[in-house]
Amino acid sequence: MPLYLGVMSGTSLDGFDIALIEQNDHCQLIASHYLPMPDDLRQELLALCSSGPDELARAAMAEQRWVQLAAQGIQTLLREQNLSASAIRAIGSHGQTIRHEPARGFSIQIGNPALLAELTGICVVSDFRRRDIAAGGQGAPLVPAFHQALFATDKRCAVLNIGGFSNLSLLEPDREVHGFDCGPGNVLLDAWIEQQQGEQFDRDGAWAASGQMQPQLLQALLGDGFFQAQGPKSTGRELFNLSWLEQHLARLPSYDAADVQATLLELTAHSIIAALTTAQQQTDTLLVCGGGARNGTLMRRLQSLLPTAQVSSTDSHGVPADWVEAMAFAWLAHCCLEAIPANRPSVTGARGLRVLGAIYPA
């Protein structure tokens, strides 16, 4: 029974999600481990998302720390499960995205897979995006094929991942999976509350719930061309960031900080549902994973905007919402080693199916 590990630290940069899966005919979560991101490394990774002095050396040093922490988390999980490194067929490591600009032909994830293989003694599969981009694709989102393998039924379903950014996988019977990035997930909510209150995230959306959504601000934010574009499309911090928000705020009346947070939550919810209803006219079930699934205010808003569907976290289908993405990268490692194409041209716009990933033997 092949065992794989998946390592994910997403755009929220809160920490490392490490999932242990068993992959036979189906993917099953066996165990998981979470390792918080040290604040100094988090700040450095955020800084590397834009140009700065000596960034090549800084990126190289940051990725060494990233790998050391990932290896530490992996070793802890293996000890907890009484497993040796030899019991694991491979680690699927996404690395940390610091730039994503497919229109310019690149997406950069740091994570030194050679060092991770050296420190763990386990084969590492990494660099999942570049082959799709080389074939003319966006290199993102990568997870719709996994969502299809995990959640497809005879109903019209959508799987929504809300991390720093939000992305949708559209699953309809007798149709190839479709998917795309919708826009900001938690990235603006997190950035605004950190600036205003020194908190890394808005727990359960409580601060957003205390404010009043501002229609004029919402319409200004929704005026960005990304929201009008049809998929395939993907995005990142290069577009949606605190500076982007502040540029809009500077052109409008002054708002209470809580009202801005309420409007940012509405931006996330509205952009998701608008994209979903445009791409898939009827949805029976919307399954939500990622950190956003734990934001009760956001989940309630999604349900109110999509009253004809059942909106729930993937927990309701037996897959913990916090671990879906890490599981996906373990599954992607399996696909690479088995030479199974894991991109979907209908999602990324690539010229065809491609085997994704580069292999670093133990």
Side-chain angles (χ1 to χ4, degrees):
M1 295 182 290
L3 298 176
Y4 296 86
L5 287 163
V7 182
M8 176 75 182
S9 67
T11 49
S12 296
L13 288 167
D14 57 332
F16 296 79
D17 295 334
I18 304 171
L20 173 67
I21 70 165
E22 181 181 293
Q23 180 64 46
N24 288 310
D25 294 336
H26 301 285
C27 174
Q28 181 179 354
L29 179 66
I30 303 300
S32 58
H33 181 72
Y34 174 77
L35 184 69
M37 183 78 71
D39 189 62
D40 61 333
L41 179 57
R42 177 176 180 269
Q43 294 303 325
E44 177 69 330
L45 292 170
L46 283 170
L48 287 166
C49 290
S50 55
S51 296
D54 199 25
E55 59 185 320
L56 291 178
R58 287 168 46 220
M61 296 302 294
E63 77 169 348
Q64 287 185 53
R65 282 200 65 197
W66 189 96
V67 170
Q68 289 162 355
L69 287 164
Q72 176 186 324
I74 287 166
Q75 289 157 357
T76 298
L77 178 56
L78 293 179
R79 282 196 303 271
E80 291 172 348
Q81 298 300 308
N82 196 28
L83 290 170
S84 65
S86 61
I88 309 300
R89 189 180 184 202
I91 299 166
S93 175
H94 176 256
Q96 179 62 54
T97 300
I98 57 171
R99 307 288 171 88
H100 180 67
E101 299 194 45
R104 299 172 66 187
F106 68 87
S107 183
I108 299 173
Q109 289 73 43
I110 59 173
N112 198 338
L115 180 58
L116 186 59
E118 192 68 29
L119 292 177
T120 61
I122 302 170
C123 172
V124 175
V125 183
S126 192
D127 193 13
F128 293 103
R129 297 194 188 276
R130 284 200 286 187
R131 183 60 194 274
D132 185 84
I133 292 174
Q138 293 277 311
L142 288 174
V143 293
F146 177 67
H147 289 162
Q148 184 179 37
L150 210 56
F151 298 113
T153 67
D154 58 355
K155 294 185 177 181
R156 290 163 296 194
C157 174
V159 183
L160 169 64
N161 174 61
I162 309 176
F165 295 86
S166 59
N167 57 71
L168 276 165
S169 301
L170 309 180
L171 309 177
E172 293 187 79
D174 304 318
R175 182 190 180 194
E176 181 60 76
V177 61
H178 283 62
F180 46 82
D181 283 357
C182 307
N186 299 315
V187 64
L188 296 175
L189 292 162
D190 292 350
W192 184 247
I193 197 171
E194 184 167 18
Q195 185 195 70
Q196 298 295 314
Q197 296 194 344
E199 301 288 341
Q200 288 192 4
F201 66 98
D202 186 3
R203 189 175 299 277
D204 203 32
W207 192 41
S210 74
Q212 295 291 321
M213 191 275 289
Q214 298 297 318
Q216 185 180 8
L217 175 58
L218 177 64
Q219 290 308 309
L221 300 177
L222 287 170
D224 192 285
F226 178 84
F227 297 113
Q228 282 72 54
Q230 302 297 306
K233 63 177 182 176
S234 60
T235 191
R237 289 183 184 273
E238 295 75 22
L239 175 56
F240 294 111
N241 51 52
L242 194 58
S243 295
W244 177 86
L245 172 61
E246 290 172 338
Q247 288 169 14
H248 284 286
L249 291 173
R251 304 187 194 107
L252 295 167
S254 179
Y255 296 111
D256 181 82
D259 291 352
V260 174
Q261 188 76 350
T263 307
L264 292 175
L265 186 139
E266 183 67 16
L267 174 69
T268 293
H270 181 96
S271 60
I272 288 166
I273 300 304
L276 173 58
T277 53
T278 298
Q280 184 168 279
Q281 292 186 349
Q282 181 63 41
T283 299
D284 301 314
T285 305
L286 177 62
L287 297 175
V288 186
C289 59
R294 307 305 181 201
N295 184 327
T297 303
L298 178 56
M299 290 291 284
R300 288 188 291 274
R301 188 61 185 138
L302 291 169
Q303 181 66 83
S304 67
L305 290 170
L306 196 66
T308 59
Q310 179 186 6
V311 178
S312 64
S313 81
T314 57
D315 295 45
S316 64
H317 282 239
V319 185
D322 294 328
W323 302 108
V324 173
E325 296 298 286
M327 290 172 66
F329 285 95
W331 180 83
L332 284 166
H334 162 75
C335 290
C336 180
L337 293 182
E338 295 296 323
I340 300 169
N343 71 331
R344 294 295 182 267
S346 56
V347 173
T348 67
R351 287 185 287 272
L353 294 169
R354 299 290 187 272
V355 175
L356 305 180
I359 301 168
Y360 293 77

